[in-house]
Amino acid sequence: MHDAQPQAIFLKDYQVPEFLIDETNLHFTLTEDKTLVVSRLTVRRNPECTSKPADLILHGQDLLLTSISIDDVVLSTSAYEVGDDCLSIKDVPDSFELQTEVEIKPQENTSLEGLYKSRTMFCTQCEAEGFRKITYYLDRPDVMSVFSVTLLADKARYPVLLSNGNNVASGVNSDGNHWARWDDPFKKPAYLFALVAGDLEFVEDKFSTMSGRDVVLRIFVD
């Protein structure tokens, strides 16, 4: 359990991030005892950073790492180190794709940060540093990325699957699970990430933009 302690932050101490994440691809498998989060990150060194660190250090809390690879090559245990609040990967290249798989337990998360279960519904609270309880990431507001998120869950328990952006695809599997993919084309920091899965209803209306495009508006409620 990590207690958030207020700390003064001064502009004079600011340092640009050593790495950037251009694309974030997440896949959530939501079940009643645990959630599996598969993350694929497109990472590169920040050209504005004057230092050239060999290691990539990602934020992470209360995560069980089950798999890690770079450019589809599984890393040996000597190539990385898992700490209480971070994942350090040694000698990374200038640009690469990082894939991690972690297990989390939203049903046991009472901090109301990250992904947690509220009665019969999965939901998230990522501001200000809750995303690091979902997966390993550069959880800071000046690291901006586009997000593609796929949610998989039991259709009877969780008929509505929501995340940021546009619902670009969905389907139902033969085992009774269904899935939905949400793509957000606008770069955002991790603290703006949102996920909801539950038995929800909505009211719907439409809005016409100045260019004449119709936009569907929905407000979901329990």
Side-chain angles (χ1 to χ4, degrees):
M1 182 72 178
H2 296 264
D3 296 324
Q5 299 295 330
Q7 294 182 352
I9 300 175
F10 300 96
L11 182 60
K12 64 181 178 63
D13 297 326
Y14 173 76
Q15 294 181 343
V16 299
E18 297 168 341
F19 292 87
L20 301 174
I21 301 174
D22 293 319
E23 298 181 14
T24 300
N25 190 305
L26 302 174
H27 187 287
F28 290 82
T29 301
L30 305 167
T31 66
E32 295 312 293
D33 58 342
K34 64 184 178 182
T35 291
L36 176 65
V37 185
V38 179
S39 167
R40 295 185 73 94
L41 309 177
T42 303
V43 185
R44 61 183 172 93
R45 294 185 186 275
N46 186 357
E48 297 183 5
C49 180
T50 56
S51 63
K52 299 297 180 183
D55 299 347
L56 170 66
I57 301 177
L58 301 174
H59 302 104
Q61 293 178 5
D62 304 324
L63 307 174
L64 175 61
L65 181 66
T66 59
S67 175
I68 180 171
S69 62
I70 286 182
D71 295 332
D72 295 323
V73 178
V74 177
L75 300 185
S76 65
T77 55
S78 62
Y80 63 92
E81 182 177 350
V82 177
D84 290 339
D85 56 5
C86 68
L87 169 65
S88 300
I89 307 172
K90 303 174 183 178
D91 298 323
V92 297
D94 290 341
S95 61
F96 55 95
E97 184 177 78
L98 172 67
Q99 176 171 317
T100 60
E101 296 183 13
V102 301
E103 289 183 6
I104 56 178
K105 294 191 175 182
Q107 294 85 347
E108 300 177 9
N109 181 4
T110 59
S111 69
L112 301 183
E113 293 181 317
L115 176 65
Y116 60 94
K117 193 79 177 289
S118 177
R119 295 188 296 167
T120 60
M121 182 169 57
F122 288 99
C123 48
T124 55
Q125 170 58 46
C126 293
E127 191 174 0
E129 297 180 341
F131 192 79
R132 62 191 64 190
K133 292 189 175 184
I134 295 176
T135 189
Y136 287 107
Y137 205 77
L138 291 173
D139 189 11
R140 47 185 290 172
D142 53 357
V143 174
M144 310 275 282
S145 175
V146 295
F147 279 69
S148 178
V149 179
T150 300
L151 310 176
L152 175 69
D154 181 86
K155 183 174 175 59
R157 290 177 178 267
Y158 311 103
V160 176
L161 305 174
L162 304 174
S163 191
N164 304 77
N166 304 309
N167 185 197
V168 297
S170 59
V172 181
N173 298 340
S174 59
D175 59 2
N177 290 327
H178 71 137
W179 59 273
R181 196 180 93 215
W182 294 79
D183 287 352
D184 190 347
F186 301 102
K187 288 189 173 184
K188 65 175 181 285
Y191 75 82
L192 291 179
F193 174 80
L195 179 160
V196 176
D199 188 1
L200 305 175
E201 296 181 356
F202 64 86
V203 293
E204 180 178 306
D205 203 344
K206 292 184 178 180
F207 172 78
S208 295
T209 67
M210 293 184 64
S211 63
R213 184 169 64 95
D214 287 335
V215 178
V216 176
L217 303 177
R218 289 179 176 177
I219 299 178
F220 289 84
V221 295
D222 192 357

